[in-house]
Amino acid sequence: MNINYTDFYRMHKPLQKELAQCYENVFKHQWFIQGKELAQFEKAFAEYCGAGYCVGTGNGLDALRLILLAYDIGPGDEVIVPSNTFIATVLAISYVGATPVLVEPDIETLLISPALIEEKITNRTKAIMVVHLYGRMGDMEKIMPIAQKHNLKVFEDCAQAHGASIGGVKAGVWGDAGAFSFYPGKNLGALGDAGAIVTNDGQIAAKVRALGNYGSYTKYYHEYKGVNSRLDELQAAFLSVKLCHLDAWNEEREQIAKQYYQGIKNPKIAMPEYTENNVYHIFPILSADRERLQQYLKEKGIHTLIHYPIAIHLQKAYQDMGYVEGDYPLAEQICATELSLPLYPGMTDDEIQYIINCLNAF
């Protein structure tokens, strides 16, 4: 049996005619940037998230950066961020000239530990950047009171958590603003790069839109030194079609994950604790013998990925911050042991059981 890490074809094949019609519609109207397709998607996605506003961007990294710029966060400011995350989260902070302050995860959830946040807050701290990693939402019920106590903004990196919620409140609307990536592999993915921000603050939404449009509210009049980061009409049209299927896809992901949780019994393999607030973008397992396990699965025809092999503080890009091995041991432990299993809509029960059987036989 050969099982890819992901398989876009199984998701897209049933939508082929609708997606093709999106192209025909955009081509017919010959309007490719900032048109009706974008407006329709922004309205639909804002409503889906329970947000007042949605603004499309070129990608998820830009969404994070534009939020920080809109809130005037820059040189001299500090932003608290998890030590266990994809580098884009931290790059956004660096791009605006602020300082990322890393906080270790809870090893049971692999997400930022609320208990460790307050000790990192200084008089220069302006915000907490919460990352809903793997599809698992951070503990917002504990993080929000900390932010309110210290008068900090809360920004959510929702790149891996489309549709996740706690108590009926979706990712992206707990804090002041949320950033989404629609990279093709996401739970809600475009057919190229794309992103968006959601917020309940109309002024911030308008400023983000201006910042992403060369700093301009009105064509050729520029109030900010902005950038070019806009969600184009074709990708917006594709996303509108796929948004209608997101909840069903997330439900399918959850059912696959439940089979993994119930079926994997190998004492050499650990899994993060099960939570309800999870849309299972990634299913991570932890093994001290990861390299051998990954090779074993490859030989069995099961393709896996590592999210992520090198912790942020040990990346060459951040060597100027002076970190050394051992500074963030939990992030380093996760990077050394994490392995991501195949999990995507369209997987068959036979494929899932085969993966489970192979893992238990390791």
Side-chain angles (χ1 to χ4, degrees), residues 147-205:
Q148 291 158 5
K149 175 182 174 182
H150 295 277
N151 195 29
L152 302 177
K153 298 297 181 183
V154 175
F155 307 133
E156 299 173 68
D157 182 340
C158 310
Q160 299 183 5
H162 311 70
S165 65
I166 299 174
V169 180
K170 283 194 169 72
V173 296
W174 278 85
D176 295 276
F180 289 85
S181 165
F182 302 123
Y183 180 78
K186 305 301 185 184
N187 290 32
L188 178 62
L191 304 189
D193 265 327
I197 73 104
V198 296
T199 181
N200 284 314
D201 188 324
Q203 289 185 322
I204 290 296

Side-chain angles (χ1 to χ4, degrees), residues 63-74 77-82 89 92-93 96 98 112 125-132 138 140 143-144 147 152-159 171-180 197-199 201 204 208:
L64 290 167
R65 176 172 59 154
L66 291 170
I67 287 172
L68 294 168
L69 288 171
Y71 279 95
D72 298 318
I73 291 175
D77 298 333
E78 294 178 349
V79 178
I80 288 173
V81 65
T89 318
I93 299 167
V96 301
I112 191 169
T125 308
K126 293 297 187 293
I128 302 171
M129 183 82 80
V130 183
V131 182
H132 304 313
M140 302 306 291
I143 293 171
M144 292 305 299
L152 302 177
K153 298 297 181 183
V154 175
F155 307 133
E156 299 173 68
D157 182 340
C158 310
V173 296
W174 278 85
D176 295 276
F180 289 85
I197 73 104
V198 296
T199 181
D201 188 324
I204 290 296
V208 166

Side-chain angles (χ1 to χ4, degrees), residues 272-330:
E273 66 181 19
Y274 175 81
T275 62
E276 296 288 344
N277 55 325
N278 193 339
V279 290
Y280 297 99
H281 172 61
I282 289 169
F283 194 93
I285 60 174
L286 304 175
S287 173
D289 201 5
R290 180 185 62 196
E291 278 63 37
R292 194 167 68 88
L293 174 58
Q294 186 175 38
Q295 181 60 34
Y296 160 81
L297 291 174
K298 184 178 180 180
E299 291 169 359
K300 297 292 185 181
I302 301 167
H303 300 272
T304 59
L305 290 180
I306 296 171
H307 295 91
Y308 301 95
I310 304 175
I312 301 295
H313 66 284
L314 297 180
Q315 294 281 357
K316 185 176 180 180
Y318 280 98
Q319 64 183 0
D320 60 318
M321 296 190 73
Y323 294 121
V324 296
E325 190 171 340
D327 283 346
Y328 292 91
L330 292 181

Side-chain angles (χ1 to χ4, degrees), residues 60-133:
L61 171 55
D62 282 354
L64 290 167
R65 176 172 59 154
L66 291 170
I67 287 172
L68 294 168
L69 288 171
Y71 279 95
D72 298 318
I73 291 175
D77 298 333
E78 294 178 349
V79 178
I80 288 173
V81 65
S83 59
N84 180 43
T85 185
F86 180 55
I87 196 170
T89 318
V90 184
L91 285 175
I93 299 167
S94 299
Y95 283 169
V96 301
T99 300
V101 177
L102 305 178
V103 172
E104 285 275 72
D106 180 330
I107 199 62
E108 296 300 320
T109 66
L110 311 184
L111 307 175
I112 191 169
S113 173
L116 301 178
I117 290 176
E118 280 197 277
E119 65 188 48
K120 293 296 185 79
I121 295 173
T122 72
N123 59 7
R124 296 198 300 164
T125 308
K126 293 297 187 293
I128 302 171
M129 183 82 80
V130 183
V131 182
H132 304 313
L133 199 63

